Amino acid sequence: MLTRIDHIGIACFDLDATVEFYRATYGFEVFHTEVNEEQGVREAMLRINGTDDGGASWIQLLEPTREDSTVAKWLAKNGEGVHHIAFGTDDVDGAAETIGGRGVRVLYDEPRRGSMGSRITFLHPKDCHGVLTELVTSATSAPEGESGGH
Ligand code: CMX
Ligand code: CO
């Protein structure tokens, strides 16, 4: 059902400075950047391993775009650090339904748009031993005709 770690989401105050830290310290380059207004974030995706077949693993660096966003609220409380983990699946709808049926709160009725045309949902951290957990179907790993555009 869940086949890999898709990404680790890291909240930061200054995206450009954090990107530069990851480049200078580890040699990780930015593969993709975008603003997701719905989520209230500006983000950079650094590919750690994998290729373009939808099976890659990423670091997702997140800077809030507005003060009322979930990441801004989290940063104000905790400071910078690991914000969530994301498991990859080729069927986010089915995984959310199965996990919801196991008594874990799924935060969205329908998956929403994530990085690079992926479809995402979240599990409540209070039901996951303190870990905000995201489920992701990347645009390239979804069954044909079901990726992106959501
Ligand atoms: N990890 C672990 N625990 C967390 C957490 C996190 N990232 N965010 C909140 N919590 C905990 C809080 O510490 C708090 O616990 P206590 O009551 O013990 O203090 C509790 O959950 C409630 O937190 P809150 O600050 O009142 O925040 P909200 O309930 O308003 O929101 C949540 C929490 C999970 C519902 C919200 O963050 C959410 O909807 N997240 C999903 C969307 C998201 O995170 N988007 C940004 C990333 C986008 C992407 O990955 O593409
Ligand atoms: Co994420």
Side-chain angles (χ1 to χ4, degrees):
M1 179 174 67
L2 308 177
T3 51
R4 63 201 169 80
I5 293 174
D6 184 277
H7 65 267
I8 297 170
I10 295 173
C12 61
F13 291 113
D14 182 335
L15 186 64
D16 296 339
T18 309
V19 160
E20 176 54 19
F21 170 81
Y22 276 81
R23 192 199 62 74
T25 310
Y26 308 121
F28 295 143
E29 301 286 348
V30 173
F31 182 88
H32 174 83
T33 59
E34 72 183 78
V35 172
N36 186 329
E37 283 299 353
E38 183 180 29
Q39 295 291 338
V41 295
R42 189 163 78 93
E43 60 176 76
M45 297 297 280
L46 317 181
R47 184 155 71 186
I48 308 307
N49 66 276
T51 52
D52 291 336
D53 63 358
S57 294
W58 312 81
I59 294 287
Q60 180 184 43
L61 301 177
L62 302 158
E63 177 193 82
T65 55
R66 44 185 164 81
E67 281 180 17
D68 64 347
S69 67
T70 58
V71 172
K73 194 174 164 186
W74 188 88
L75 277 167
K77 188 174 168 186
N78 302 285
E80 296 185 313
V82 174
H83 178 258
H84 63 273
I85 62 168
F87 294 121
T89 170
D90 63 6
D91 178 14
V92 65
D93 302 84
E97 190 178 340
T98 300
I99 292 167
R102 293 174 180 166
V104 174
R105 277 170 287 172
V106 178
L107 296 183
Y108 303 151
D109 290 338
E110 291 289 329
R112 298 184 183 173
R113 188 180 65 77
S115 305
M116 302 180 286
S118 61
R119 298 179 68 237
I120 63 173
T121 195
F122 289 88
L123 310 177
H124 200 288
K126 290 292 174 190
D127 296 346
C128 301
H129 294 262
V131 178
L132 175 59
T133 304
E134 179 181 347
L135 308 177
V136 189
T137 296
S138 65
T140 43
S141 70
E144 204 172 331
E146 290 184 17
S147 65
H150 290 263

